[in-house]
Coordinates of all heavy atoms in Angstrom, one line a residue:
A1406 N -5.4 16.7 -86.3 CA -4.7 15.6 -85.7 C -5.8 14.9 -84.8 O -6.5 15.5 -84.1 CB -3.6 16.0 -84.8
S1407 N -5.7 13.6 -84.9 CA -6.7 12.8 -84.0 C -6.0 12.3 -82.8 O -4.9 11.9 -82.8 CB -7.3 11.7 -84.8 OG -6.4 10.7 -85.1
L1408 N -6.7 12.3 -81.7 CA -6.2 11.8 -80.4 C -6.8 10.4 -80.2 O -7.9 10.3 -80.2 CB -6.6 12.8 -79.3 CG -5.9 12.5 -78.0 CD1 -4.4 12.6 -78.1 CD2 -6.5 13.5 -76.9
E1409 N -5.9 9.5 -80.1 CA -6.3 8.1 -79.9 C -6.4 7.8 -78.4 O -5.5 8.1 -77.6 CB -5.3 7.1 -80.5 CG -6.0 5.8 -80.9 CD -5.0 5.0 -81.7 OE1 -4.6 5.3 -82.8 OE2 -4.6 4.0 -81.0
S1410 N -7.5 7.3 -78.0 CA -7.7 7.0 -76.6 C -7.6 5.5 -76.4 O -8.3 4.7 -77.1 CB -9.1 7.5 -76.1 OG -9.7 6.6 -75.3
R1411 N -6.8 5.1 -75.5 CA -6.6 3.6 -75.2 C -7.0 3.3 -73.8 O -6.6 4.1 -72.9 CB -5.2 3.2 -75.4 CG -4.8 2.9 -76.8 CD -3.5 2.2 -76.9 NE -2.7 2.7 -78.0 CZ -1.5 2.6 -78.1 NH1 -0.8 2.0 -77.2 NH2 -0.8 3.0 -79.2
S1412 N -7.8 2.3 -73.6 CA -8.1 1.9 -72.3 C -7.7 0.4 -72.1 O -7.9 -0.3 -73.0 CB -9.6 2.2 -72.0 OG -10.3 1.0 -72.1
Q1413 N -7.2 0.1 -71.0 CA -6.8 -1.2 -70.7 C -7.5 -1.7 -69.4 O -7.6 -0.9 -68.5 CB -5.3 -1.4 -70.5 CG -4.5 -1.2 -71.8 CD -3.0 -1.5 -71.6 OE1 -2.5 -1.1 -70.6 NE2 -2.4 -2.1 -72.6
T1414 N -7.9 -2.9 -69.4 CA -8.5 -3.4 -68.2 C -7.5 -4.5 -67.7 O -7.1 -5.3 -68.4 CB -9.8 -4.1 -68.6 OG1 -10.7 -3.2 -69.2 CG2 -10.5 -4.6 -67.3
L1415 N -7.3 -4.3 -66.4 CA -6.4 -5.3 -65.7 C -7.3 -6.3 -65.1 O -8.1 -6.0 -64.2 CB -5.5 -4.6 -64.7 CG -4.6 -5.5 -63.9 CD1 -3.6 -6.2 -64.9 CD2 -3.9 -4.8 -62.8
L1416 N -7.2 -7.6 -65.5 CA -7.9 -8.7 -64.9 C -7.0 -9.5 -64.0 O -6.0 -10.1 -64.5 CB -8.5 -9.6 -66.0 CG -9.6 -8.9 -66.8 CD1 -10.0 -9.9 -68.0 CD2 -10.8 -8.5 -66.0
P1417 N -7.2 -9.5 -62.7 CA -6.3 -10.3 -61.9 C -6.4 -11.7 -62.2 O -7.5 -12.2 -62.4 CB -6.8 -9.9 -60.4 CG -8.1 -9.4 -60.6 CD -8.3 -8.8 -62.0
F1418 N -5.3 -12.4 -62.2 CA -5.3 -13.8 -62.5 C -5.4 -14.5 -61.1 O -4.6 -14.4 -60.3 CB -4.0 -14.2 -63.2 CG -3.9 -15.7 -63.5 CD1 -4.8 -16.4 -64.3 CD2 -2.9 -16.5 -62.8 CE1 -4.7 -17.7 -64.6 CE2 -2.8 -17.8 -63.0 CZ -3.7 -18.5 -63.9
H1419 N -6.5 -15.3 -61.0 CA -6.7 -16.0 -59.7 C -6.2 -17.4 -59.9 O -6.7 -18.2 -60.6 CB -8.2 -16.0 -59.4 CG -8.5 -16.7 -58.1 ND1 -8.1 -16.3 -56.9 CD2 -9.1 -17.9 -57.9 CE1 -8.5 -17.2 -56.0 NE2 -9.1 -18.2 -56.6
E1420 N -5.2 -17.8 -59.1 CA -4.6 -19.1 -59.1 C -5.0 -19.8 -57.8 O -4.7 -19.3 -56.8 CB -3.1 -19.1 -59.3 CG -2.5 -20.4 -59.5 CD -1.0 -20.4 -59.7 OE1 -0.5 -19.3 -60.2 OE2 -0.3 -21.3 -59.3
E1421 N -5.7 -20.9 -58.0 CA -6.1 -21.6 -56.7 C -4.9 -22.2 -56.0 O -3.9 -22.7 -56.6 CB -7.1 -22.7 -57.0 CG -6.6 -23.9 -57.7 CD -7.6 -25.0 -57.8 OE1 -8.8 -24.7 -57.9 OE2 -7.2 -26.2 -57.8
P1422 N -4.8 -22.1 -54.7 CA -3.7 -22.6 -53.9 C -3.7 -24.1 -54.1 O -4.7 -24.8 -54.2 CB -4.0 -22.3 -52.5 CG -5.4 -21.8 -52.4 CD -5.8 -21.4 -53.8
A1423 N -2.5 -24.7 -54.2 CA -2.3 -26.1 -54.5 C -2.9 -26.9 -53.3 O -2.7 -26.5 -52.1 CB -0.9 -26.4 -54.7
A1424 N -3.5 -28.0 -53.6 CA -4.0 -28.9 -52.5 C -2.7 -29.7 -52.0 O -1.8 -30.0 -52.8 CB -5.0 -29.9 -53.1
T1425 N -2.7 -30.0 -50.7 CA -1.7 -30.8 -50.1 C -2.3 -32.0 -49.6 O -3.5 -32.1 -49.3 CB -0.9 -30.0 -49.0 OG1 -1.9 -29.7 -48.0 CG2 -0.2 -28.8 -49.6
I1426 N -1.5 -33.1 -49.3 CA -2.0 -34.3 -48.8 C -1.9 -34.2 -47.3 O -0.9 -34.1 -46.7 CB -1.2 -35.5 -49.4 CG1 -1.3 -35.6 -50.9 CG2 -1.6 -36.8 -48.7 CD1 -0.3 -36.5 -51.5
V1427 N -3.1 -34.3 -46.6 CA -3.1 -34.2 -45.2 C -3.3 -35.5 -44.5 O -2.9 -35.7 -43.3 CB -4.3 -33.2 -44.7 CG1 -4.0 -31.8 -45.2 CG2 -5.6 -33.7 -45.2
Q1428 N -3.8 -36.5 -45.2 CA -3.9 -37.9 -44.6 C -3.2 -38.7 -45.6 O -3.7 -38.9 -46.8 CB -5.3 -38.3 -44.4 CG -5.4 -39.7 -43.9 CD -6.9 -40.2 -43.8 OE1 -7.8 -39.5 -43.5 NE2 -7.1 -41.5 -44.1
R1429 N -2.0 -39.3 -45.2 CA -1.2 -40.0 -46.2 C -1.6 -41.5 -46.3 O -2.4 -42.0 -45.5 CB 0.3 -39.9 -45.7 CG 0.7 -38.4 -45.6 CD 2.2 -38.3 -45.3 NE 3.0 -38.5 -46.5 CZ 3.1 -37.6 -47.6 NH1 2.4 -36.5 -47.5 NH2 3.8 -37.9 -48.6
L1430 N -1.1 -42.1 -47.3 CA -1.5 -43.5 -47.6 C -0.9 -44.4 -46.5 O 0.2 -44.1 -45.9 CB -0.9 -44.0 -48.9 CG -1.5 -43.4 -50.2 CD1 -0.7 -43.9 -51.4 CD2 -3.0 -43.8 -50.3
K1431 N -1.6 -45.5 -46.2 CA -1.1 -46.5 -45.2 C -0.9 -47.8 -45.9 O -1.6 -48.1 -46.9 CB -2.2 -46.7 -44.1 CG -2.4 -45.5 -43.2 CD -3.4 -45.8 -42.1 CE -3.6 -44.6 -41.2 NZ -4.2 -43.4 -41.8
D1432 N 0.1 -48.5 -45.5 CA 0.4 -49.8 -46.0 C -0.8 -50.7 -45.8 O -1.5 -50.7 -44.8 CB 1.6 -50.5 -45.4 CG 2.9 -49.8 -45.8 OD1 2.9 -49.0 -46.8 OD2 3.9 -50.0 -45.1
V1433 N -1.1 -51.5 -46.8 CA -2.2 -52.5 -46.8 C -1.7 -53.9 -47.0 O -0.9 -54.1 -47.9 CB -3.3 -52.1 -47.9 CG1 -4.4 -53.2 -48.0 CG2 -3.9 -50.8 -47.6
T1434 N -2.1 -54.8 -46.1 CA -1.8 -56.2 -46.3 C -3.1 -56.9 -46.6 O -4.1 -56.8 -45.9 CB -1.1 -56.8 -45.0 OG1 0.0 -56.0 -44.7 CG2 -0.7 -58.2 -45.2
T1435 N -3.1 -57.7 -47.6 CA -4.3 -58.5 -48.0 C -3.9 -59.8 -48.5 O -2.8 -60.1 -48.9 CB -5.1 -57.7 -49.0 OG1 -6.4 -58.3 -49.2 CG2 -4.4 -57.5 -50.3
Y1436 N -4.9 -60.7 -48.6 CA -4.7 -62.1 -49.2 C -5.0 -62.0 -50.6 O -5.8 -61.2 -51.1 CB -5.6 -63.1 -48.5 CG -5.2 -63.4 -47.0 CD1 -5.9 -62.8 -46.0 CD2 -4.1 -64.2 -46.8 CE1 -5.5 -63.0 -44.7 CE2 -3.7 -64.5 -45.4 CZ -4.4 -63.9 -44.4 OH -4.0 -64.1 -43.1
E1437 N -4.3 -62.9 -51.4 CA -4.6 -63.0 -52.8 C -6.1 -63.3 -53.0 O -6.7 -64.1 -52.3 CB -3.7 -64.2 -53.4 CG -3.6 -64.1 -54.9 CD -2.6 -65.1 -55.4 OE1 -2.1 -66.0 -54.7 OE2 -2.3 -65.0 -56.6
G1438 N -6.6 -62.6 -54.0 CA -8.0 -62.7 -54.3 C -8.9 -61.8 -53.6 O -10.1 -61.6 -53.9
E1439 N -8.4 -61.1 -52.6 CA -9.2 -60.0 -51.9 C -8.9 -58.7 -52.5 O -8.1 -58.5 -53.3 CB -8.8 -60.0 -50.4 CG -9.2 -61.2 -49.6 CD -8.9 -61.1 -48.1 OE1 -8.1 -60.2 -47.7 OE2 -9.5 -61.9 -47.4
D1440 N -9.8 -57.7 -52.1 CA -9.6 -56.3 -52.5 C -8.7 -55.6 -51.6 O -8.7 -55.8 -50.4 CB -11.0 -55.6 -52.6 CG -11.9 -56.2 -53.6 OD1 -11.5 -57.0 -54.4 OD2 -13.1 -55.8 -53.6
A1441 N -7.9 -54.7 -52.1 CA -7.0 -53.8 -51.3 C -7.5 -52.4 -51.5 O -7.7 -51.9 -52.6 CB -5.6 -54.0 -51.8
V1442 N -7.7 -51.7 -50.4 CA -8.3 -50.3 -50.4 C -7.2 -49.4 -49.9 O -6.7 -49.5 -48.8 CB -9.6 -50.2 -49.6 CG1 -10.1 -48.8 -49.6 CG2 -10.6 -51.2 -50.1
F1443 N -6.9 -48.3 -50.7 CA -6.0 -47.3 -50.3 C -6.7 -46.0 -50.3 O -7.5 -45.7 -51.2 CB -4.8 -47.2 -51.3 CG -4.0 -48.4 -51.3 CD1 -4.3 -49.5 -52.2 CD2 -2.9 -48.6 -50.5 CE1 -3.6 -50.6 -52.3 CE2 -2.1 -49.7 -50.6 CZ -2.5 -50.8 -51.5
E1444 N -6.5 -45.1 -49.2 CA -7.2 -43.9 -49.1 C -6.2 -42.8 -48.7 O -5.3 -43.0 -47.9 CB -8.3 -43.9 -48.1 CG -9.6 -44.5 -48.5 CD -10.7 -44.3 -47.6 OE1 -10.5 -43.8 -46.4 OE2 -11.8 -44.6 -47.9
C1445 N -6.4 -41.6 -49.2 CA -5.7 -40.4 -48.7 C -6.7 -39.2 -48.8 O -7.7 -39.3 -49.5 CB -4.4 -40.2 -49.4 SG -4.6 -39.8 -51.1
R1446 N -6.3 -38.2 -48.0 CA -7.2 -37.0 -48.0 C -6.4 -35.8 -48.3 O -5.3 -35.7 -47.8 CB -7.8 -36.9 -46.5 CG -8.9 -35.9 -46.4 CD -9.5 -35.9 -45.0 NE -10.2 -37.1 -44.7 CZ -11.5 -37.3 -44.9 NH1 -12.2 -36.4 -45.5 NH2 -12.1 -38.4 -44.6
L1447 N -7.0 -34.9 -49.0 CA -6.3 -33.6 -49.4 C -6.8 -32.5 -48.5 O -7.9 -32.6 -47.9 CB -6.7 -33.3 -50.9 CG -6.2 -34.4 -51.9 CD1 -6.5 -33.9 -53.3 CD2 -4.8 -34.7 -51.8
S1448 N -6.1 -31.4 -48.5 CA -6.4 -30.3 -47.7 C -7.6 -29.5 -48.3 O -8.3 -28.8 -47.5 CB -5.2 -29.3 -47.7 OG -4.9 -28.9 -49.0
R1449 N -7.9 -29.7 -49.5 CA -9.1 -29.1 -50.1 C -9.5 -29.8 -51.4 O -8.7 -30.6 -51.9 CB -8.8 -27.6 -50.5 CG -7.6 -27.5 -51.4 CD -7.0 -26.1 -51.5 NE -7.8 -25.1 -52.1 CZ -8.2 -25.1 -53.3 NH1 -7.9 -26.0 -54.2 NH2 -9.0 -24.1 -53.8
E1450 N -10.7 -29.6 -51.8 CA -11.1 -30.1 -53.1 C -10.4 -29.4 -54.2 O -10.1 -28.2 -54.0 CB -12.6 -30.0 -53.3 CG -13.5 -30.8 -52.4 CD -15.0 -30.8 -52.7 OE1 -15.3 -30.8 -53.9 OE2 -15.7 -30.7 -51.7
T1451 N -10.0 -30.1 -55.2 CA -9.2 -29.5 -56.2 C -9.5 -29.9 -57.6 O -10.0 -31.0 -57.8 CB -7.7 -29.8 -55.9 OG1 -6.9 -29.2 -56.9 CG2 -7.4 -31.3 -56.0
A1452 N -9.3 -29.0 -58.6 CA -9.4 -29.4 -60.0 C -8.1 -29.9 -60.5 O -8.1 -30.3 -61.7 CB -9.9 -28.1 -60.7
Q1453 N -7.1 -29.9 -59.7 CA -5.8 -30.4 -60.2 C -5.9 -31.9 -60.5 O -6.7 -32.6 -59.9 CB -4.7 -30.3 -59.1 CG -4.2 -28.9 -58.9 CD -3.2 -28.9 -57.7 OE1 -3.6 -29.1 -56.6 NE2 -2.0 -28.6 -58.0
D1454 N -5.1 -32.3 -61.5 CA -5.2 -33.8 -61.8 C -4.5 -34.6 -60.7 O -3.4 -34.3 -60.3 CB -4.4 -34.0 -63.1 CG -5.2 -33.5 -64.3 OD1 -6.4 -33.4 -64.2 OD2 -4.5 -33.2 -65.4
A1455 N -5.3 -35.5 -60.2 CA -4.7 -36.5 -59.2 C -4.5 -37.8 -59.9 O -5.3 -38.2 -60.8 CB -5.7 -36.6 -58.1
Q1456 N -3.5 -38.5 -59.6 CA -3.1 -39.8 -60.3 C -2.7 -40.8 -59.3 O -1.8 -40.5 -58.4 CB -2.1 -39.5 -61.3 CG -1.6 -40.7 -62.1 CD -2.8 -41.2 -63.0 OE1 -3.2 -40.5 -63.9 NE2 -3.2 -42.4 -62.8
W1457 N -3.2 -42.0 -59.5 CA -2.7 -43.2 -58.7 C -1.7 -44.0 -59.6 O -1.9 -44.0 -60.8 CB -3.9 -44.1 -58.4 CG -4.8 -43.5 -57.3 CD1 -6.0 -42.8 -57.5 CD2 -4.7 -43.7 -55.9 NE1 -6.6 -42.5 -56.3 CE2 -5.8 -43.0 -55.3 CE3 -3.8 -44.3 -55.1 CZ2 -6.0 -42.9 -54.0 CZ3 -3.9 -44.2 -53.7 CH2 -5.0 -43.6 -53.2
F1458 N -0.8 -44.6 -58.9 CA 0.2 -45.4 -59.6 C 0.4 -46.7 -58.9 O 0.4 -46.8 -57.6 CB 1.6 -44.7 -59.6 CG 1.6 -43.4 -60.4 CD1 1.3 -42.2 -59.8 CD2 2.1 -43.4 -61.7 CE1 1.3 -41.1 -60.6 CE2 2.1 -42.3 -62.5 CZ 1.7 -41.1 -61.9
L1459 N 0.7 -47.8 -59.6 CA 1.1 -49.1 -59.0 C 2.5 -49.2 -59.6 O 2.7 -49.4 -60.8 CB 0.2 -50.2 -59.4 CG 0.6 -51.6 -58.9 CD1 0.7 -51.6 -57.4 CD2 -0.3 -52.7 -59.4
G1460 N 3.6 -49.1 -58.7 CA 4.9 -49.0 -59.2 C 5.0 -47.7 -60.0 O 4.7 -46.7 -59.5
D1461 N 5.5 -47.8 -61.3 CA 5.6 -46.6 -62.1 C 4.4 -46.5 -63.1 O 4.4 -45.6 -63.9 CB 6.9 -46.7 -62.9 CG 8.1 -46.6 -62.1 OD1 8.0 -46.0 -61.0 OD2 9.2 -47.2 -62.4
V1462 N 3.5 -47.4 -63.0 CA 2.4 -47.5 -64.0 C 1.2 -46.6 -63.5 O 0.6 -46.9 -62.4 CB 1.9 -48.9 -64.2 CG1 0.8 -49.0 -65.2 CG2 3.1 -49.8 -64.6
P1463 N 0.8 -45.6 -64.3 CA -0.4 -44.9 -63.9 C -1.7 -45.8 -64.0 O -1.8 -46.5 -64.9 CB -0.5 -43.7 -64.9 CG 0.6 -43.9 -65.9 CD 1.4 -45.1 -65.5
L1464 N -2.6 -45.6 -63.0 CA -3.8 -46.5 -63.0 C -5.0 -45.7 -63.5 O -5.1 -44.5 -63.3 CB -4.0 -47.0 -61.6 CG -2.9 -47.9 -61.0 CD1 -3.3 -48.2 -59.5 CD2 -2.8 -49.1 -61.8
Q1465 N -5.8 -46.4 -64.2 CA -7.1 -45.9 -64.7 C -8.2 -46.7 -64.0 O -8.0 -47.8 -63.6 CB -7.3 -46.1 -66.2 CG -6.1 -45.5 -67.0 CD -6.0 -44.0 -66.9 OE1 -7.0 -43.3 -66.8 NE2 -4.8 -43.5 -66.9
S1466 N -9.4 -46.0 -63.9 CA -10.5 -46.7 -63.3 C -11.1 -47.7 -64.3 O -11.4 -47.3 -65.4 CB -11.6 -45.7 -62.9 OG -12.4 -46.2 -61.8
N1467 N -11.1 -49.0 -63.9 CA -11.6 -50.0 -64.8 C -12.1 -51.2 -64.0 O -12.4 -51.0 -62.8 CB -10.6 -50.5 -65.9 CG -9.3 -51.0 -65.2 OD1 -9.3 -51.6 -64.1 ND2 -8.1 -50.7 -65.8
E1468 N -12.3 -52.4 -64.6 CA -12.9 -53.5 -63.8 C -11.9 -54.0 -62.8 O -12.3 -54.6 -61.8 CB -13.3 -54.6 -64.7 CG -12.2 -55.3 -65.5 CD -11.8 -54.6 -66.8 OE1 -12.4 -53.6 -67.2 OE2 -10.8 -55.0 -67.4
M1469 N -10.6 -53.7 -62.9 CA -9.6 -54.2 -61.9 C -9.3 -53.1 -60.8 O -8.9 -53.4 -59.8 CB -8.4 -54.6 -62.6 CG -8.5 -55.8 -63.5 SD -9.3 -57.2 -62.8 CE -8.1 -57.7 -61.6
N1470 N -9.4 -51.9 -61.2 CA -9.1 -50.8 -60.3 C -10.3 -49.8 -60.2 O -10.7 -49.3 -61.2 CB -7.9 -50.0 -60.8 CG -6.8 -50.8 -61.3 OD1 -6.4 -51.7 -60.6 ND2 -6.3 -50.6 -62.5
E1471 N -10.7 -49.5 -59.0 CA -11.8 -48.5 -58.9 C -11.2 -47.3 -58.2 O -10.6 -47.4 -57.1 CB -12.9 -49.1 -58.0 CG -14.1 -48.1 -57.9 CD -15.3 -48.7 -57.1 OE1 -15.4 -49.9 -57.0 OE2 -16.0 -47.8 -56.6
I1472 N -11.3 -46.2 -58.9 CA -10.8 -44.9 -58.4 C -12.0 -44.0 -58.0 O -12.9 -43.8 -58.8 CB -9.9 -44.2 -59.4 CG1 -8.7 -45.1 -59.7 CG2 -9.5 -42.8 -59.0 CD1 -7.8 -44.6 -60.8
R1473 N -12.0 -43.6 -56.8 CA -13.1 -42.7 -56.3 C -12.6 -41.4 -55.7 O -11.6 -41.4 -55.1 CB -13.9 -43.4 -55.1 CG -14.6 -44.7 -55.5 CD -15.4 -45.1 -54.3 NE -16.0 -46.4 -54.5 CZ -16.3 -47.2 -53.5 NH1 -16.2 -46.9 -52.3 NH2 -16.9 -48.4 -53.8
V1474 N -13.4 -40.4 -55.9 CA -13.2 -39.1 -55.3 C -14.5 -38.7 -54.6 O -15.5 -38.6 -55.3 CB -12.8 -38.0 -56.4 CG1 -12.5 -36.7 -55.7 CG2 -11.6 -38.5 -57.1
Q1475 N -14.4 -38.5 -53.3 CA -15.5 -38.0 -52.5 C -15.1 -36.8 -51.8 O -14.5 -36.9 -50.7 CB -16.0 -39.1 -51.6 CG -16.6 -40.3 -52.3 CD -16.8 -41.5 -51.4 OE1 -15.8 -42.0 -50.8 NE2 -18.0 -41.9 -51.3
G1476 N -15.3 -35.6 -52.3 CA -14.8 -34.4 -51.7 C -13.3 -34.3 -51.7 O -12.7 -34.4 -52.7
T1477 N -12.8 -34.3 -50.4 CA -11.3 -34.3 -50.3 C -10.7 -35.7 -50.2 O -9.5 -35.8 -50.1 CB -10.9 -33.5 -49.1 OG1 -11.5 -34.1 -47.9 CG2 -11.4 -32.0 -49.2
R1478 N -11.5 -36.7 -50.1 CA -11.0 -38.1 -50.0 C -10.9 -38.8 -51.3 O -11.8 -38.8 -52.1 CB -12.0 -38.9 -49.1 CG -11.4 -40.3 -48.8 CD -12.2 -41.0 -47.8 NE -13.6 -41.0 -48.1 CZ -14.5 -41.1 -47.1 NH1 -14.2 -41.2 -45.9 NH2 -15.8 -41.0 -47.5
H1479 N -9.7 -39.3 -51.6 CA -9.4 -40.0 -52.8 C -9.1 -41.4 -52.4 O -8.3 -41.7 -51.5 CB -8.2 -39.4 -53.5 CG -8.4 -38.0 -54.1 ND1 -8.5 -37.8 -55.4 CD2 -8.7 -36.9 -53.5 CE1 -8.8 -36.6 -55.7 NE2 -8.9 -35.9 -54.5
S1480 N -9.7 -42.4 -53.1 CA -9.5 -43.8 -52.8 C -9.3 -44.6 -54.0 O -9.8 -44.3 -55.1 CB -10.7 -44.4 -51.9 OG -11.9 -44.2 -52.6
L1481 N -8.5 -45.7 -53.8 CA -8.2 -46.6 -54.9 C -8.5 -48.0 -54.3 O -8.1 -48.4 -53.2 CB -6.7 -46.6 -55.2 CG -6.2 -47.7 -56.1 CD1 -6.8 -47.7 -57.5 CD2 -4.7 -47.7 -56.1
I1482 N -9.3 -48.8 -55.1 CA -9.6 -50.2 -54.7 C -9.0 -51.1 -55.8 O -9.4 -50.9 -57.0 CB -11.1 -50.4 -54.6 CG1 -11.7 -49.5 -53.6 CG2 -11.4 -51.9 -54.2 CD1 -13.3 -49.5 -53.6
L1483 N -8.1 -51.9 -55.4 CA -7.5 -52.9 -56.3 C -8.3 -54.2 -56.1 O -8.3 -54.7 -55.0 CB -6.0 -53.1 -56.0 CG -5.1 -51.9 -56.2 CD1 -3.7 -52.3 -55.8 CD2 -5.1 -51.4 -57.6
R1484 N -9.0 -54.6 -57.2 CA -9.9 -55.7 -57.1 C -9.2 -57.0 -57.2 O -8.3 -57.2 -58.1 CB -11.0 -55.6 -58.2 CG -11.8 -54.4 -58.1 CD -13.2 -54.7 -57.5 NE -14.0 -53.4 -57.4 CZ -14.5 -53.0 -56.3 NH1 -14.3 -53.7 -55.2 NH2 -15.2 -51.9 -56.3
K1485 N -9.5 -58.0 -56.3 CA -9.0 -59.4 -56.4 C -7.5 -59.4 -56.7 O -7.1 -59.8 -57.7 CB -9.8 -60.1 -57.4 CG -11.3 -60.3 -57.1 CD -12.0 -61.1 -58.2 CE -13.4 -61.3 -57.8 NZ -14.2 -60.1 -57.6
V1486 N -6.7 -58.9 -55.8 CA -5.3 -58.7 -56.0 C -4.6 -60.1 -56.2 O -5.0 -61.1 -55.7 CB -4.6 -57.9 -54.8 CG1 -5.1 -56.5 -54.7 CG2 -4.8 -58.7 -53.5
T1487 N -3.6 -60.0 -57.0 CA -2.7 -61.2 -57.3 C -1.3 -60.8 -56.8 O -1.0 -59.7 -56.5 CB -2.7 -61.5 -58.8 OG1 -2.1 -60.5 -59.5 CG2 -4.1 -61.8 -59.3
L1488 N -0.5 -61.8 -56.9 CA 0.9 -61.6 -56.5 C 1.6 -60.5 -57.4 O 2.5 -59.8 -57.0 CB 1.7 -62.9 -56.5 CG 1.3 -63.9 -55.5 CD1 2.1 -65.2 -55.7 CD2 1.6 -63.4 -54.1
E1489 N 1.1 -60.4 -58.7 CA 1.6 -59.4 -59.6 C 1.3 -58.0 -59.2 O 2.0 -57.1 -59.6 CB 1.1 -59.7 -61.0 CG 1.7 -60.9 -61.7 CD 1.1 -62.2 -61.2 OE1 -0.2 -62.3 -61.1 OE2 1.8 -63.1 -61.0
D1490 N 0.3 -57.9 -58.4 CA -0.1 -56.5 -57.9 C 0.7 -56.1 -56.7 O 0.6 -54.9 -56.3 CB -1.6 -56.5 -57.4 CG -2.6 -56.8 -58.6 OD1 -2.3 -56.2 -59.7 OD2 -3.6 -57.5 -58.4
C1491 N 1.6 -56.9 -56.2 CA 2.4 -56.6 -55.1 C 3.4 -55.5 -55.5 O 3.9 -55.6 -56.6 CB 3.2 -57.9 -54.6 SG 3.8 -57.8 -53.0
G1492 N 3.5 -54.5 -54.7 CA 4.4 -53.4 -55.0 C 4.0 -52.1 -54.4 O 3.0 -52.1 -53.5
S1493 N 4.6 -51.0 -54.8 CA 4.3 -49.7 -54.2 C 3.2 -49.1 -54.9 O 3.1 -49.0 -56.1 CB 5.6 -48.9 -54.3 OG 5.4 -47.6 -53.8
V1494 N 2.2 -48.6 -54.1 CA 1.1 -47.8 -54.6 C 1.4 -46.4 -54.2 O 1.8 -46.1 -53.1 CB -0.2 -48.3 -54.0 CG1 -1.4 -47.3 -54.3 CG2 -0.6 -49.7 -54.5
S1495 N 1.2 -45.4 -55.1 CA 1.4 -44.0 -54.8 C 0.3 -43.2 -55.4 O -0.4 -43.6 -56.3 CB 2.8 -43.6 -55.3 OG 2.9 -43.7 -56.7
F1496 N 0.2 -42.0 -54.8 CA -0.8 -41.0 -55.2 C -0.1 -39.7 -55.3 O 0.6 -39.3 -54.5 CB -1.9 -41.0 -54.1 CG -3.0 -39.9 -54.4 CD1 -4.0 -40.2 -55.2 CD2 -2.9 -38.7 -53.7 CE1 -5.0 -39.2 -55.4 CE2 -3.8 -37.7 -54.0 CZ -4.9 -37.9 -54.8
K1497 N -0.4 -39.0 -56.5 CA 0.2 -37.7 -56.7 C -0.9 -36.7 -57.1 O -1.8 -37.0 -57.8 CB 1.2 -37.8 -57.8 CG 2.4 -38.7 -57.5 CD 3.4 -38.7 -58.6 CE 4.6 -39.6 -58.2 NZ 5.4 -40.0 -59.3
V1498 N -0.7 -35.5 -56.5 CA -1.5 -34.4 -56.9 C -0.6 -33.2 -56.9 O 0.1 -32.9 -55.9 CB -2.7 -34.2 -56.0 CG1 -2.3 -33.9 -54.5 CG2 -3.6 -33.1 -56.5
G1499 N -0.5 -32.5 -58.0 CA 0.4 -31.3 -58.2 C 1.8 -31.8 -57.9 O 2.3 -32.8 -58.4
Q1500 N 2.5 -31.1 -57.0 CA 3.9 -31.4 -56.6 C 3.9 -32.4 -55.4 O 5.0 -32.7 -54.9 CB 4.6 -30.1 -56.2 CG 4.7 -29.1 -57.4 CD 5.4 -29.6 -58.6 OE1 6.5 -30.1 -58.4 NE2 4.8 -29.6 -59.7
H1501 N 2.8 -32.8 -54.9 CA 2.8 -33.6 -53.7 C 2.5 -35.1 -54.0 O 1.7 -35.4 -54.9 CB 1.7 -33.1 -52.7 CG 1.9 -31.7 -52.4 ND1 2.8 -31.2 -51.4 CD2 1.3 -30.5 -52.9 CE1 2.7 -29.9 -51.4 NE2 1.9 -29.5 -52.2
S1502 N 3.1 -36.0 -53.2 CA 2.8 -37.4 -53.4 C 2.9 -38.1 -52.1 O 3.5 -37.7 -51.1 CB 3.8 -38.0 -54.4 OG 5.1 -38.0 -53.9
S1503 N 2.3 -39.3 -52.1 CA 2.3 -40.2 -50.9 C 2.4 -41.6 -51.4 O 1.8 -41.9 -52.5 CB 1.0 -40.0 -50.1 OG 1.0 -40.9 -49.0
A1504 N 3.1 -42.5 -50.7 CA 3.3 -43.9 -51.2 C 3.1 -44.8 -50.0 O 3.2 -44.5 -48.9 CB 4.7 -44.1 -51.8
A1505 N 2.6 -46.1 -50.4 CA 2.5 -47.1 -49.4 C 3.0 -48.4 -50.0 O 3.1 -48.6 -51.2 CB 1.0 -47.3 -49.0

């Protein structure tokens, strides 16, 4: 009779704590044709997907919207805003969100 030896290795699953928003968005008032800058700060740098929205529309970085991440600071620059850009801007990371 053969004796089978089994060994198992337990690898702990390390889940990074979720980042929270520590500096929330502030309302921005600007004139048509100017740039509008929105900033918020997270509790930590994170690999979680962060997303900016104008109304319900997710924003991408392009010639009209500049999205920057510098450490824990996330910023959105809406270039040469028009009346159509008027509305709620929000930022979401994980389960947390902030709106202006």
Side-chain angles (χ1 to χ4, degrees):
S1407 68
L1408 188 61
E1409 207 175 289
S1410 138
R1411 278 195 218 159
S1412 98
Q1413 288 185 323
T1414 306
L1415 179 64
L1416 296 174
F1418 177 67
H1419 177 72
E1420 186 177 334
E1421 69 172 34
T1425 58
I1426 299 171
V1427 294
Q1428 180 185 322
R1429 305 190 73 75
L1430 292 176
K1431 294 180 176 65
D1432 289 343
V1433 172
T1434 302
T1435 187
Y1436 291 101
E1437 195 169 10
E1439 292 185 342
D1440 294 350
V1442 181
F1443 297 87
E1444 280 191 351
C1445 64
R1446 191 179 293 271
L1447 301 183
S1448 58
R1449 59 195 293 294
E1450 290 186 42
T1451 180
Q1453 288 177 292
D1454 287 337
Q1456 180 68 62
W1457 289 95
F1458 294 86
L1459 179 57
D1461 295 330
V1462 180
L1464 298 175
Q1465 305 297 323
S1466 205
N1467 57 34
E1468 65 278 353
M1469 298 306 295
N1470 315 310
E1471 185 179 337
I1472 296 172
R1473 291 186 191 159
V1474 178
Q1475 295 167 300
T1477 59
R1478 186 173 46 210
H1479 289 250
S1480 55
L1481 166 68
I1482 302 169
L1483 298 178
R1484 300 257 178 237
K1485 298 182 176 57
V1486 295
T1487 65
L1488 292 174
E1489 287 76 44
D1490 294 321
C1491 202
S1493 176
V1494 169
S1495 59
F1496 175 82
K1497 292 183 181 164
V1498 60
Q1500 300 297 309
H1501 304 280
S1502 67
S1503 178

